[in-house]
Amino acid sequence: EFPHKCRKVHALASGFCCITETGEVWLTSSSGRSNIRQLKLPTIVELACASRCALFLDEDGIVWTTTTKNCNYYYPYIDGTSAEKNWKKFNELYEEVQLSKLFPHTECVSKIFAGNDSIFLIDDAGTVYSFGNNGGLRIGRESEEFYSDFGIIEGLPPIVHVLPNNESTLFIDADW
């Protein structure tokens, strides 16, 4: 039995991620009973996960990501310079990463969304920033390549929600 009451739980490729009622983040193995670890993050208000990606939004609008035991996560290279996928198979907890330290223009985010091989951030004005695999132009960038930086998706009205999937992404504005 998991010893914490959770307000939100998401499935990952090889485990689960949850936010407790007090804003703590816990990760477990696929059984939910082993490799239970608490991440060292500030109070988290929102969680967005895909099979290989976990994003956490704290109460100050700062986005975090991390990797943990027994899961394959996809996340930006720590130095922010590589255009290749950064897959990690690991046996121990890695450091939590504050995305705004790598990508300063991602501060003050109000919503976070994760798709397989893609990340979307929305600021208070409804501007969408995307990162990741743009195959089929699914993250809204100019060419079908992998983007290792967060860029603004041009030509969208203010967006309130993003629904990414493996083939495409639906951007929802306030008039939907």
Side-chain angles (χ1 to χ4, degrees):
E1 183 173 315
F2 189 67
H4 306 280
K5 186 165 178 106
C6 297
R7 103 177 115 87
K8 188 173 252 190
V9 178
H10 280 263
L12 301 167
S14 299
F16 297 94
C17 183
C18 71
I19 302 174
T20 67
E21 291 180 326
T22 59
E24 298 171 334
V25 176
W26 291 81
L27 298 160
T28 72
S29 66
S30 58
S31 70
R33 295 187 192 112
S34 62
N35 300 322
I36 298 172
R37 296 189 186 248
Q38 180 182 6
L39 299 182
K40 296 174 182 145
L41 295 169
T43 302
I44 299 299
V45 296
E46 190 57 63
L47 165 68
C49 296
S51 64
R52 296 180 299 257
C53 178
L55 298 173
F56 314 100
L57 183 63
D58 73 21
E59 58 192 354
D60 295 320
I62 303 298
V63 180
W64 299 79
T65 191
T66 190
T67 61
T68 190
K69 188 172 183 177
N70 292 335
C71 294
N72 286 322
Y73 285 142
Y74 162 78
Y75 67 102
Y77 271 97
I78 299 303
D79 64 8
T81 60
S82 177
E84 297 176 5
K85 294 179 181 180
N86 185 20
W87 299 95
K88 296 275 186 179
K89 186 73 175 176
F90 42 83
N91 295 315
E92 62 185 71
L93 185 66
Y94 283 86
E95 155 181 34
E96 291 80 2
V97 178
Q98 182 179 338
L99 288 185
S100 63
K101 287 189 175 180
L102 304 175
F103 308 100
H105 58 283
T106 63
E107 292 179 342
C108 298
V109 168
S110 59
K111 295 183 181 178
I112 55 177
F113 302 92
N116 289 335
D117 300 337
S118 59
I119 297 171
F120 299 90
L121 311 175
I122 298 178
D123 66 17
D124 288 337
T127 303
V128 179
Y129 298 85
S130 64
F131 173 100
N133 182 352
N134 199 33
L137 303 176
R138 68 179 169 222
I139 68 166
R141 305 285 284 278
E142 293 178 13
S143 63
E144 291 193 42
E145 61 184 75
F146 182 88
Y147 285 86
S148 63
D149 65 333
F150 283 92
I152 294 175
I153 300 176
E154 301 292 339
L156 292 176
I159 298 298
V160 296
H161 198 80
V162 177
L163 296 169
N165 68 28
N166 291 337
E167 304 297 324
S168 62
T169 302
L170 179 62
F171 300 95
I172 299 173
D173 67 14
D175 294 328
W176 176 277

